[in-house]
């Protein structure tokens, strides 16, 4: 299963970043390729959501279950859609400076091996663009800080 892992240090609190990532209903406002989202159910500990991803004439929808442990982590489990498997995790660790370290990982498997090889070439770039969109959204919601974000790994 191909995977991508990234760590960033941001000047925002774990609570702020958790709330931003957990706000799935607003993803279409700032994430590239997210056409629509729908939260089917949500409690303090879990959410089930549908997401429509699109690029040009291609549209695919999928459903995920999100485990939540505020403000430490979100773990996303793939339920249904065009992939064979998709799991991702967001972990938020407080920093002595008052900001947080974000550890993000995503692992995925396409149902079609040929498509997996083709898409895998672009997935890393798309993933990094989406991570940057979360960072830009944090700047928009919480204000820019004098300290810039750092990519740690």
């Amino acid at each position: 299963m191909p995977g991508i892992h990234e760590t960033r240090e941001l000047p925002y609190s774990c609570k702020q970043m958790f709330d931003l990532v957990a706000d799935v209903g607003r993803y279409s406002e700032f994430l590239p390729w997210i056409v629509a989202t729908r939260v089917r159910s949500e409690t303090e500990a879990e959410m089930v959501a549908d997401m429509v991803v699109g690029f040009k004439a291609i549209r695919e929808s999928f459903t995920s279950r999100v485990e939540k442990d505020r403000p430490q982590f979100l773990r996303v489990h793939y339920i249904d859609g065009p992939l064979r498997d998709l799991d991702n995790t967001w972990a938020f660790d407080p920093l002595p400076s008052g900001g947080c370290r974000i550890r993000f990982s995503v692992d995925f498997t396409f149902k079609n091996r040929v498509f997996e090889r083709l898409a895998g070439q672009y997935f890393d770039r798309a993933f990094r663009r989406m991570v940057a969109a979360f960072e830009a959204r944090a700047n928009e919601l919480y204000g820019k800080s004098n300290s810039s974000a750092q990519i740690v790994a």
Side-chain angles (χ1 to χ4, degrees):
M1 179 184 310
I4 297 170
H5 309 278
E6 186 163 339
T7 301
R8 288 190 180 223
E9 292 183 1
L10 297 176
Y12 310 109
S13 71
C14 294
K15 178 187 171 304
Q16 287 174 312
M17 293 309 299
F18 178 97
D19 290 346
L20 175 92
V21 174
D23 194 5
V24 172
R26 302 195 82 144
Y27 279 11
S28 63
E29 295 177 19
F30 68 96
L31 284 176
W33 310 296
I34 304 299
V35 176
T37 56
R38 179 181 70 162
V39 176
R40 289 186 185 187
S41 63
E42 185 169 19
T43 66
E44 188 68 26
E46 184 178 273
M47 169 190 341
V48 175
D50 298 320
M51 190 174 303
V52 178
V53 178
F55 182 73
K56 298 186 180 185
I58 300 171
R59 296 275 189 272
E60 292 288 352
S61 61
F62 61 94
T63 303
S64 296
R65 181 175 57 83
V66 181
E67 289 178 60
K68 302 185 296 182
D69 185 5
R70 188 171 191 265
Q72 288 85 15
F73 78 86
L74 292 150
R75 187 168 293 123
V76 182
H77 303 281
Y78 183 73
I79 295 174
D80 187 40
L83 300 170
R84 178 176 296 135
D85 192 33
L86 172 70
D87 291 301
N88 66 343
T89 303
W90 292 85
F92 308 96
D93 304 312
L95 294 171
S97 64
C100 75
R101 176 175 295 117
I102 300 169
R103 291 176 287 122
F104 179 73
S105 65
V106 60
D107 297 297
F108 59 94
T109 305
F110 289 92
K111 289 179 182 174
N112 181 314
R113 293 279 184 207
V114 173
F115 187 66
E116 183 169 313
R117 279 195 300 270
L118 291 171
Q121 298 172 14
Y122 302 101
F123 196 79
D124 184 66
R125 233 179 310 163
F127 163 78
R128 302 219 185 276
R129 186 168 169 199
M130 292 185 84
V131 170
F134 276 104
E135 188 176 331
R137 180 68 168 186
N139 289 339
E140 179 183 315
L141 292 176
Y142 308 129
K144 291 187 178 189
S145 172
N146 289 337
S147 64
S148 61
Q150 296 178 312
I151 297 174
V152 178

